[in-house]
Amino acid sequence: MTTSTDHYYVPEPSRWPLIGAASVFTFLFGTVLWMNAWGAGPWIMLVGLGLLAYLFRGWFGDVISENLSGSYNGQVDQSFRQGMFWFITSEVFFFITFFGCLYYLRNITLPYLGGEGYLGTSNILWEGFTYSWPPLQVPDASNYTVAKEAMGPAGLPLWNTIILLSSGGTLTWAHWGLKKDNNRQLVLGLAATIALGVVFFILQAYEYGHAYAEMDLTLNSGIYGSTFYMLTGFHGFHVTVGTIMLMVILARAMKRHFSEHNHFAFEAVAWYWHFVDVVWIALYIFVYWL
Amino acid sequence: MSTEAIHDDHHDHAPSGIGRWLFSTNHKDIGTMYLIFSLAMLFLGGASAMLLRAELFTPGLQLLDPDTYNNLLTNHALLMVFGVVMPAAAGMANWMIPLMIGAPDMALPRLNNLSFWLLPFAAIMLMISMAAPYFPGGGTPINTGWTLYPPLSIQVGMGMDFAIFTLHILGISSILAAINIVTTIVNMRAPGMTWFKLPLFVWAWMLTGLLLIMIMPVLAGGVTMLLFDRHFGTAFFDAAGGGDPVLFQHLFWFFGHPEVYVLLLPSIGVLGMVVPTFSRKPLFAYKPLVYSMMMLTALGMVVWAHHQYTVGMSQAVTTYFMIGTILISIPVGYMLFSFIFTMWRGAMTFETPMLFAVAIILMFSFAGVTGVMLAVVPADLQYHDTYFVVAHFHYALIPGALFGLYAGVFYWLPKWTGHMYDERLGKIFFWWTTISFNLTFFVQHFSGLAGMPRRIIDYSPVFAEFNMISSIGAFAFGLSHLLFLWIIIKTIRGGDKAADKPWDGAQVGTPGLEWTLPSPPPFHSFSTPPLVK
Amino acid sequence: MSKRGLGWLNGLVTSVFAGGVMADWEINLPEPVSPVTREIFDLHMLTAGVALVIMIIVTAVIMYSLWKHRKSAGFEADQHFHESGFGKWAWVFVPVVVLGIDLSIAGKAAKVFDLVEDTTKPELTLKVIGSQWKWTYEYLEDDIRLVANLNRDIPETDPLYLRDTDHRVILPVDTRIRFLHTATDVLHAWWVPALAYKKDSIPGYINETWSIIEKEGVYRGQCAEICGTGHAFMPIVIEAVSKEKYAAWVQDKKLAAAAALVEASADKVWSKDDLMARGQEVYAGNCLACHQAEGQGVPPVFPALKGGLITTGEIAGHIDIVLNGKPGTAMAAWAAQLNDLEIAAVVTYERNAWGNDTGDVVQPADIKAARK
Ligand code: HEA
Ligand code: HEA
Ligand code: CUA
Ligand SMILES: [Cu+2]
C-alpha cells in the first residue's frame, strides 16, 4: 500500500524531529555557557554536535531508504524540490542582510563619522577622523587593533574565485554525466568538485592566518575587520557545509543511488553549491575589489 | 466535489500512546500541539502583562525593581508575538490548509514536526534567559524591551545570549514551517483546486509564509551580529570602531515591520472565512482582495524605517518611508471594506465568531488610523516611544491578531472536536473581553499624548488615573481568559454533536473542502485527492 | 445610529481631544510654545480629525448594516450585490478615495517636515548629552556645562514626582536654539513636548533639533528611549527666561566656572573635611543614581561601594576605575567629565563614607599624576 505511487507518501511517526530540536537546543545552550567562560560549555556543545551528526545520519538515512524502496511518487519529489528552493531563498535573504550592512556602514554611516553627509556634525565627537574605504583608521582606537593594510583583490582571493568558478563547472559536468547515465563521469565530477572545495577552504584558512599574523586585520579591527570576517566567514561556513553534502552525494553516487530520473538529492546539493558560488562572486566584487 | 474518497478503514487508527504526539507526522495532531502550546504561552505572556499592569497600578515602586520590570516586559512581548500568535496561526494552518485544499497531509510531515518541537525548546531557553541573571555571575537582566537595541543590549548579562539563541531557534522553526506551508499550498492542491478557488485563509498563509521566508533570516543575521559584538570584539554597533547602533534597528525593523503583517494576515484569512458564512453571502470582491493582500505583502517589506523616524535619517529617506507607510492604508482599507461589503445586504446572524469579526473590523480600523497618525513623520516625533504607540499596537495586535485567532477557534472548534461550544458562554466571553480590552488600552492613547513614555516602571502622579483604569481593565481582561479556557475544555469534553457542515451550512463562495469531511475529520483525511468540480 | 447619537459622539470625542471635559487630566499634547511644535500640533489635530471622521463613517456603516441586514429581522441575503454597479467598481473607487486622503495628509506632513528639518542659523547651540541616568548640557557658545539629575526628594504623591531635577536648564526666549543630541553610553532621547520634539541621542553620532521658545515658563519632559535601569528616572526641566535674565545667568555661570577651574588646578593641598564635603556633592550628582545613597549599590548590576574590594583596597585601582571606567558595563570613564579636584574628592569620599573608614586622603595632584 505505502509503496503505491498514486498515494502521496506520508511517513510513519518518526523520532528524528524531536531529537533534532533537542540537539539544536543542547548545542546552543552549551555555546552560551562557553561564551561566558563556563567550563561545562564546550562539553555540552560537543554533545549537541554529536547528537546533530547522529540526527542527520538517521534522518537522511530514513529518507534515502524510503526513496530507494520506491515510496516516493513524483509529487513527493516535487515537494522536496520546492522545499529546497524556498530554503535557498531564505539563505539569499541571509546574505542580503550582510551585504546590506556592508553597504549601509560603508556608504552611509562611516561618512557621517568622518564629517560628510546628513549627520556629518557627528565628526566633532571624533576629531581627526576622516572617511576612507577600506578604513585603516577607526574613530577611537582604544578598544580596537587597526588593520595595517587592506585586503586586495589580487593573489589568493583571485585564485579562490577561479577555484570556486571551476568547481561550478566540474559539478555541472558531473550533472551531465548523471543525465547520460554515465556513473563514472558523475563520480569523477563530484570528486573534482569536492577537491576544489577543500582547496578553497585551505586557501581561505591560510588567508585568515596571514591577515591575523601580518596585516593585523582581525575581528577586532573595527568595522573593516567586522564586515570582512562576517561576509567571508559565513560564506566559508556555507562552503564547508556544501562540501560535506557533496561528500555524502559522492558516497551515494558510488553506491549508484541516482538514476537519470531520480536524483533530487544531487540536484539539491548542486543548487546549493551554485548558490554558494554566486555569493562568492558578489563577495569578491564588493569585499575584495571595490 | 467528491466526498467518497475520505478514507479507508485500514488507515484510520491513530498511533497510540505518547509517541503519537512526540513523533507525530500527522498534520492534525501537530496542529493540535501548536494550539495547546500557544494557549499555554498566552497564560505565561499574559501573567507577565498582569505583573506589569499591577506594578503600574499606582505611582511608586511596588512589586518589582526596574530591571525585573524590563525583563518581564521583554518576555511579555516575545512570548506573545513568537509564543502565542505565530504558533496559534501555524496550528490553524496545519489543521486547516490540508483539509481545505484536499491534501493527504502537509507536504513535508517530518519537517512539520520539527518546526513544532523547536518551539517548546525555544520557550525553555527563553525561561532560562529570564532566570539566568538572578544566579551568580548572570549579570544584568534583559532590560532592553523586545527590540534588543544595542548598545544597551551589549551591557546586558548572559541572559541576552540565551535570548539571542531563543530567537535563532524560533527563526529556524518559523522558516521551516513557512517552507512547509508554502510548498503544501503550491504542490498539494487537489485536482481542480485552482488558485482562485482557494479559501482566503489559504491565500493569507501563502503570503505569510513568503514573508517569513524573507524576514526571519534578517532577524537571525542581526542578532548574530549582536552576539559577535558582545563576545568577539566586532564593531558593528559601536561608533568608536566605525559601526552604528542604528544599523541594528534597520535589521530589526526590516524583520519587525513585515512581522506585524505576519501576525495580521492569518487573522484576515480567518475573517475571510467567518464573515461570508455568517452573512450568508460570498466574499465581496474575492480576487481584488487577494491582490490587495499581495500588495500589502510587497509594500510591507519596504516601509520598515517608520519605527525609526527619530534616529536621524536624511529628509528624503524619511519622507519616502512616510509615504510608503501611509499608502499601506490602501490595501488594508480595501480588505476591511471588502468585509464590510460582504456584510452589507447579507443575512447576518451573530454567533461568537461573527461577533468577534465585527469587533475586529471596528477596532482594527481604529488601530489602522492611529497607525497612519504615527506614520506622519513630524507628528511621530512627538508620539514615538510614548503610550500612544503602546495603545496603537495593542489595538492592532489584540483585535488584529489575537481576536482573529479567537474567531478562528470558535469557528473551527466544532470541526476539530466534533462538538458545538456553549454559545451562551461564547457570547459572554466576547462581551467581557471586548469591553475590558477597550478599557485597558483606549485610555493609553491619552496618557501617551499627555507625555507618558513607554517602558517605564514608575511615573508621575499626573498620569495616575489613566494607569489605574488601564490596570483594572487589564485584570478584567486577564480573568476573561479563564472563561476562554473553560469553554474550550468544555467543548472537548462534550456538547452538542456538530454537523459536518455546521452554521446552518452557510459556508458559501470559497469555503474549502474541510466541510466535506465529518466533524471531527478522520485521522487521515484525503489519502487520495478529491476532485474539485 | 441616529443623528443625535452621532452628534453626541462627535461632541464627546472633540471635547476629549480639546481637553474640555476633564479639566485637570492632560489628554492631549501640551500647548506648544515654539513654531515647530505648533505646526506639529496642528498636523496632529488634522490627522486625529481625519482618523475620527473615518472611524465615524466606518462605525456608522457597520452599525446600520448590522441592524438592517440581520437575519432575525427577516432580511434575505442579496446574492447579486457584487454585480451591482457599486460592486463592479468598488475596487477602483475605494482605493482612489483612500489614496486621495493619504496624499493630502502626506502633502501637509511634508511641508511641516521641511520646517522641522531646518536647523540652520542658530543663535544659541545647546549640546545635550544623555548618560545613564542624567543629562549633561553644554552651551557651546558660552562654554558652560551643566549636569541635571533627578530630584529625589519629592514624594510619590506630588505631581512633580519624577518630573523635577536638581539643576534646571536655563534658556532665553525668542532665540533660535539648535540642540545637538548625543549620548555617552546607550541610546536616550531628549523630549520636552511643549518646545522640542524628539530625536534620539546616539553614542558617537549627533542628531539635531531646534526651537524658538516664545513664552517664559518652566517646561518638563523626560527620557523617551529605553536606557536601562534608570530610564524612568531621567527627567528634563527647562526654565525659559527673558534674554536679559539669561545674559545675567550666563555671566554668573562663567565667573563660577572660572573660579572652580582656578581652584581645581591650584596646587593646593586640601583638608580631608573639605574633600569629604565636596566629594559628597560630586557623588550625589554623578554616582548616586547607580551606586545608591548609602553606597549599597543594586547588586548584582551595580556593585556596592560600601565595603567594596576596590573602594577599600589599593588607591590606584580605585582611581583607575573612576578615571577609565569599565568597558562593556555601565561604569563610565569619568576622566573627561570631572576635573581633578572632583575626582580626588569623590574618591576620598568613597573611601571614608558609609563606614569604609580607610582614612585615605586623595589630593588633586594624585589624580593629575594618574592621568599620565
Ligand atoms: C498586527 C500588528 C500591526 C499592524 C497590522 C500595524 C499596522 C500599521 N502600523 Fe503599527 N505597530 C505595531 C503593530 C502593528 N501595526 C507594533 C507592534 C508597533 C510597535 C513596535 C514597538 O516599537 O515595539 C507598531 C508601531 C508602529 C509605528 C511606529 C511608531 C513609533 O514607534 O513611533 C508606526 C509608524 O508609522 C506604525 C504604523 C502602522 C501603519 C500605518 C499600519 C497600517 O498597516 C494600518 C493600515 C490600516 C488602516 C489605515 C485602517 C483601515 C483603512 C481604512 C478604514 C481606510 C481609510 C484610512 C485612511 C485614509 C487613513 N505602527
Ligand atoms: C500579540 C502580542 C501582544 C499581546 C496579546 C499583548 C497583550 C497584553 N499586553 Fe502587551 N505588548 C506587546 C505585545 C502584546 N501584548 C508588545 C510587542 C509590547 C512592547 C514590548 C516592548 O516595549 O519591548 C507590549 C507591551 C505592553 C505594555 C507596555 C509596557 C511598557 O511599555 O512599560 C503593556 C502595559 O500595559 C502591556 C499590556 C498588555 C496586556 C494587559 C495584555 C493583555 O491582553 C494580556 C491578556 C492575557 C492574559 C492576562 C492571560 C490569561 C490570564 C491569566 C494569566 C489568568 C490570571 C489572570 C489574572 C491574575 C487577572 N503590553
Ligand atoms: Cu535615558 Cu531612557
Ligand atoms: Cu511597522
Side-chain angles (χ1 to χ4, degrees):
Chain A
M1 247 284 329
T2 35
T3 54
S4 146
T5 44
D6 43 272
H7 276 79
Y8 193 88
Y9 180 77
V10 177
E12 292 298 306
S14 158
R15 63 208 155 105
W16 301 120
L18 187 57
I19 295 177
S23 57
V24 170
F25 176 86
T26 313
F27 177 66
L28 294 180
F29 183 78
T31 313
V32 176
L33 296 190
W34 165 65
M35 287 187 307
N36 290 281
W38 288 49
W43 298 105
I44 301 180
M45 285 169 80
L46 215 64
V47 173
L49 272 184
L51 265 174
L52 264 181
Y54 170 65
L55 162 85
F56 277 116
R57 203 171 167 281
W59 188 330
F60 288 132
D62 277 4
V63 174
I64 290 167
S65 53
E66 282 161 13
N67 182 12
L68 292 180
S69 68
S71 309
Y72 296 163
N73 60 11
Q75 202 183 7
V76 178
D77 195 58
Q78 268 303 315
S79 289
F80 284 146
R81 278 160 199 276
Q82 291 180 9
M84 190 67 194
F85 171 80
W86 293 116
F87 173 68
I88 291 182
T89 311
S90 81
E91 291 269 37
V92 169
F93 275 85
F94 195 59
F95 276 98
I96 285 180
T97 309
F98 293 149
F99 281 107
C101 291
L102 179 65
Y103 170 80
Y104 177 84
L105 291 166
R106 175 176 168 173
N107 296 318
I108 300 179
T109 60
L110 206 57
Y112 290 172
L113 294 173
E116 300 162 26
Y118 183 68
L119 295 186
T121 325
S122 308
N123 191 238
I124 62 174
L125 301 172
W126 310 110
E127 255 169 71
F129 177 75
T130 48
Y131 167 68
S132 64
W133 190 274
L136 299 179
Q137 185 194 12
V138 293
D140 174 1
S142 46
N143 291 323
Y144 297 96
T145 46
V146 182
K148 286 198 284 242
E149 53 180 312
M151 188 64 88
L156 279 189
L158 186 61
W159 278 111
N160 264 344
T161 309
I162 294 169
I163 288 171
L164 265 198
L165 282 183
S166 27
S167 81
T170 51
L171 190 59
T172 307
W173 187 67
H175 197 181
W176 288 343
L178 179 55
K179 277 197 193 141
K180 285 185 301 199
D181 250 343
N182 178 344
N183 204 53
R184 219 180 87 86
Q185 184 175 338
L186 172 65
V187 169
L188 277 180
L190 279 171
T193 313
I194 294 170
L196 288 169
V198 172
V199 173
F200 175 89
F201 185 88
I202 293 170
L203 289 185
Q204 190 80 348
Y206 176 78
E207 183 192 77
Y208 279 11
H210 175 73
Y212 259 82
E214 277 134 57
M215 300 165 67
D216 271 355
L217 175 59
T218 69
L219 263 184
N220 193 244
S221 328
I223 205 59
Y224 183 47
S226 307
T227 48
F228 176 81
Y229 284 105
M230 172 176 63
L231 278 153
T232 54
F234 274 99
H235 176 265
F237 173 69
H238 280 76
V239 171
T240 315
V241 172
T243 311
I244 296 175
M245 298 198 308
L246 281 170
M247 289 174 182
V248 175
I249 294 300
L250 175 64
R252 291 189 60 194
M254 296 201 310
K255 287 193 207 153
R256 294 183 176 270
H257 277 187
F258 302 114
S259 70
E260 190 183 339
H261 301 293
N262 183 352
H263 55 256
F264 158 72
F266 176 89
E267 277 190 36
V269 175
W271 294 343
Y272 190 82
W273 192 257
H274 288 308
F275 159 70
V276 172
D277 259 8
V278 172
V279 171
W280 175 262
I281 294 173
L283 246 152
Y284 184 68
I285 296 175
F286 292 112
V287 177
Y288 290 95
W289 191 3
L290 290 184
Chain B
M1 297 179 196
S2 90
T3 42
E4 66 269 37
I6 290 169
H7 58 276
D8 43 78
D9 287 345
H10 166 77
H11 240 85
D12 204 42
H13 26 251
S16 54
I18 182 84
R20 165 172 179 182
W21 304 99
L22 294 181
F23 307 141
S24 178
T25 48
N26 180 284
H27 71 100
K28 299 189 202 82
D29 284 357
I30 295 174
T32 306
M33 291 196 289
Y34 264 116
L35 289 166
I36 292 172
F37 173 79
S38 145
L39 194 61
M41 292 300 117
L42 176 64
F43 280 84
L44 267 183
S48 39
M50 295 296 109
L51 281 171
L52 300 182
R53 283 305 342 162
E55 172 60 54
L56 293 173
F57 192 71
T58 54
L61 302 183
Q62 281 90 28
L63 295 169
L64 310 167
D65 66 82
D67 284 320
T68 309
Y69 177 91
N70 288 336
N71 198 356
L72 282 169
L73 172 63
T74 310
N75 276 269
H76 160 66
L78 292 177
L79 282 169
M80 286 296 191
V81 169
F82 292 100
V84 178
V85 176
M86 289 169 71
M92 290 188 187
N94 256 293
W95 248 103
M96 301 316 297
I97 289 178
L99 299 187
M100 285 174 159
I101 64 177
D105 205 292
M106 296 295 279
L108 306 161
R110 273 180 292 231
L111 200 66
N112 197 18
N113 200 25
L114 176 61
S115 315
F116 170 74
W117 276 109
L118 285 167
L119 290 179
F121 284 100
I124 295 171
M125 194 165 277
L126 192 63
M127 295 301 123
I128 298 178
S129 88
M130 197 171 167
Y134 302 97
F135 287 92
T140 319
I142 307 177
N143 55 10
T144 61
W146 78 302
T147 48
L148 311 180
Y149 284 176
L152 187 58
S153 52
I154 302 206
Q155 288 180 356
V156 171
M158 72 192 276
M160 183 57 72
D161 299 324
F162 284 115
I164 287 172
F165 283 140
T166 305
L167 289 176
H168 278 124
I169 302 180
L170 290 166
I172 303 173
S173 160
S174 302
I175 291 177
L176 295 182
I179 289 176
N180 211 341
I181 290 170
V182 169
T183 306
T184 305
I185 297 172
V186 175
N187 193 35
M188 306 288 284
R189 282 169 291 127
M193 180 53 91
T194 53
W195 284 102
F196 285 107
K197 279 188 195 153
L198 288 177
L200 199 73
F201 182 73
V202 181
W203 262 115
W205 249 110
M206 176 75 195
L207 297 167
T208 307
L210 292 181
L211 277 176
L212 283 172
I213 290 171
M214 295 188 286
I215 63 175
M216 294 312 292
V218 181
L219 177 68
V223 294
T224 306
M225 288 157 68
L226 192 59
L227 194 74
F228 273 71
D229 265 21
R230 285 169 55 80
H231 290 288
F232 303 111
T234 53
F236 296 113
F237 310 128
D238 178 13
D244 183 3
V246 175
L247 172 60
F248 182 84
Q249 305 188 13
H250 282 287
L251 297 175
F252 185 89
W253 291 115
F254 187 91
F255 147 81
H257 184 75
E259 169 72 12
V260 307
Y261 299 121
V262 166
L263 302 175
L264 174 72
L265 276 172
S267 291
I268 293 284
V270 172
L271 288 189
M273 308 279 89
V274 170
V275 175
T277 302
F278 298 98
S279 307
R280 294 170 176 72
K281 195 161 147 282
L283 204 48
F284 180 85
Y286 166 82
K287 256 194 197 179
L289 191 48
V290 171
Y291 290 132
S292 63
M293 291 205 299
M294 292 177 185
M295 182 174 161
L296 175 70
T297 309
L299 259 182
M301 290 292 298
V302 292
V303 299
W304 70 90
H306 63 227
H307 295 270
Q308 307 156 242
Y309 287 148
T310 58
V311 303
M313 297 174 291
S314 72
Q315 190 177 355
V317 171
T318 314
T319 308
Y320 156 77
F321 280 111
M322 167 173 81
I323 293 175
T325 306
I326 295 179
L327 287 181
I328 291 192
S329 58
I330 295 176
V332 180
Y334 191 79
M335 293 182 210
L336 295 183
F337 280 117
S338 291
F339 295 140
I340 296 176
F341 296 142
T342 307
M343 302 192 314
W344 189 261
R345 302 189 67 75
M348 280 182 270
T349 53
F350 301 101
E351 286 83 351
T352 311
M354 183 61 169
L355 285 175
F356 270 112
V358 173
I360 290 166
I361 295 172
L362 277 173
M363 297 189 298
F364 180 71
S365 299
F366 187 59
V369 292
T370 56
V372 171
M373 289 172 72
L374 289 169
V376 170
V377 182
D380 184 63
L381 300 180
Q382 294 281 19
Y383 309 140
H384 178 70
D385 261 325
T386 66
Y387 264 77
F388 190 81
V389 178
V390 176
H392 156 72
F393 69 71
H394 283 90
Y395 266 85
L397 288 164
I398 292 179
L402 204 60
F403 281 6
L405 298 170
Y406 292 170
V409 167
F410 284 105
Y411 186 59
W412 284 316
L413 257 184
K415 177 61 49 184
W416 296 338
T417 62
H419 304 293
M420 298 303 285
Y421 61 87
D422 185 331
E423 190 59 59
R424 200 177 55 91
L425 291 183
K427 287 205 167 94
I428 295 177
F429 175 64
F430 165 77
W431 287 107
W432 186 354
T433 47
T434 306
I435 292 170
S436 55
F437 160 75
N438 281 289
L439 195 61
T440 313
F441 293 106
F442 191 69
V443 290
Q444 293 186 355
H445 293 99
F446 302 118
S447 45
L449 290 177
M452 180 161 162
R454 60 191 280 207
R455 296 165 165 176
I456 55 176
I457 182 175
D458 198 4
Y459 53 89
S460 154
V462 291
F463 310 120
E465 287 84 354
F466 291 130
N467 278 288
M468 197 172 284
I469 298 174
S470 192
S471 291
I472 292 171
F475 300 144
F477 189 57
L479 280 181
S480 72
H481 287 72
L482 298 177
L483 178 61
F484 183 55
L485 190 64
W486 170 238
I487 296 175
I488 293 177
I489 294 176
K490 201 171 159 216
T491 314
I492 293 173
R493 291 218 311 229
D496 300 344
K497 183 90 192 65
D500 293 0
K501 203 170 181 181
W503 321 119
D504 301 345
Q507 295 84 344
V508 284
T510 53
L513 298 175
E514 74 272 31
W515 307 113
T516 62
L517 295 172
S519 304
F523 190 69
H524 289 292
S525 10
F526 299 103
S527 0
T528 44
L531 199 68
V532 181
K533 290 263 159 69
Chain C
M1 190 181 278
S2 69
K3 256 215 184 108
R4 217 182 71 230
L6 265 183
W8 176 82
L9 182 73
N10 199 344
L12 175 80
V13 185
T14 6
S15 49
V16 164
F17 269 95
V21 203
M22 312 156 208
D24 56 345
W25 287 24
E26 285 296 341
I27 42 180
N28 200 352
L29 293 171
E31 195 199 330
V33 295
S34 152
V36 219
T37 44
R38 180 164 316 104
E39 287 293 318
I40 293 179
F41 186 87
D42 294 345
L43 182 65
H44 153 71
M45 291 311 273
L46 172 81
T47 52
V50 172
L52 187 65
V53 171
I54 291 174
M55 280 317 292
I56 290 172
I57 295 173
V58 170
T59 313
V61 172
I62 293 184
M63 289 304 162
Y64 176 84
S65 178
L66 292 187
W67 183 251
K68 267 306 226 218
H69 307 139
R70 69 208 142 101
K71 191 165 173 245
S72 58
F75 195 88
E76 293 269 340
D78 174 1
Q79 300 294 355
H80 300 283
F81 176 62
H82 59 280
E83 292 156 16
S84 66
F86 178 78
K88 277 203 186 110
W89 290 102
W91 71 274
V92 189
F93 176 68
V94 171
V96 166
V97 170
V98 178
L99 179 68
I101 304 174
D102 284 353
L103 291 183
S104 23
I105 295 177
K108 176 80 172 83
K111 277 210 202 81
V112 179
F113 196 35
D114 279 340
L115 187 71
V116 168
E117 288 291 289
D118 179 17
T119 53
T120 51
K121 296 194 261 20
E123 296 162 76
L124 190 160
T125 313
L126 184 69
K127 187 168 163 204
V128 185
I129 306 162
S131 311
Q132 287 170 320
W133 290 280
K134 60 170 185 280
W135 295 102
T136 306
Y137 301 90
E138 290 175 11
Y139 293 72
L140 293 189
E141 284 85 355
D142 296 307
D143 244 348
I144 297 176
R145 201 160 160 279
L146 192 130
V147 179
N149 276 282
L150 170 70
N151 178 350
R152 288 169 187 269
D153 298 330
I154 298 180
E156 279 163 28
T157 44
D158 190 315
L160 288 187
Y161 174 64
L162 300 184
R163 308 263 288 169
D164 202 27
T165 53
D166 54 357
H167 299 289
R168 288 178 171 181
V169 186
I170 311 288
L171 289 173
V173 293
D174 299 328
T175 307
R176 205 179 153 99
I177 308 168
R178 174 176 174 223
F179 300 101
L180 302 183
H181 302 281
T182 189
T184 54
D185 35 38
V186 301
L187 304 176
H188 301 267
W190 194 77
W191 180 44
V192 187
L195 59 89
Y197 50 93
K198 50 179 119 35
K199 279 282 177 89
D200 292 352
S201 313
I202 303 171
Y205 290 83
I206 289 185
N207 257 317
E208 302 180 19
T209 61
W210 69 277
S211 177
I212 298 174
I213 309 172
E214 291 165 339
K215 223 165 85 183
E216 290 182 33
V218 177
Y219 305 102
R220 292 171 199 277
Q222 64 191 96
C223 178
E225 177 66 56
I226 187 153
C227 50
T229 319
H231 169 54
F233 310 102
M234 45 190 298
I236 300 155
V237 183
I238 288 182
E239 188 175 339
V241 299
S242 68
K243 285 184 169 176
E244 299 73 47
K245 268 200 195 147
Y246 175 74
W249 178 80
V250 168
Q251 212 49 43
D252 279 359
K253 269 282 170 187
K254 277 186 169 162
L255 291 178
L261 198 67
V262 171
E263 198 180 25
S265 57
D267 284 327
K268 172 179 163 189
V269 175
W270 290 72
S271 79
K272 184 174 166 194
D273 286 347
D274 284 351
L275 285 173
M276 285 297 283
R278 284 187 171 251
Q280 184 163 21
E281 265 172 50
V282 177
Y283 185 82
N286 296 288
C287 326
L288 185 144
C290 301
H291 296 291
Q292 304 297 313
E294 293 303 311
Q296 76 274 30
V298 192
V301 186
F302 304 116
L305 302 181
K306 178 181 176 176
L309 282 181
I310 291 183
T311 40
T312 57
E314 286 283 320
I315 298 183
H318 191 167
I319 295 179
D320 177 66
I321 193 165
V322 179
L323 276 177
N324 303 316
K326 176 123 184 209
T329 72
M331 179 65 192
W334 295 91
Q337 304 189 42
L338 300 178
N339 65 34
D340 294 349
L341 173 58
E342 286 165 329
I343 294 186
V346 78
V347 171
T348 308
Y349 175 72
E350 286 176 353
R351 298 185 74 78
N352 294 289
W354 324 301
N356 278 356
D357 296 333
T358 56
D360 299 332
V361 177
V362 178
Q363 294 293 343
D366 302 333
I367 307 297
K368 205 183 221 163
R371 278 185 200 263
K372 284 174 273 164

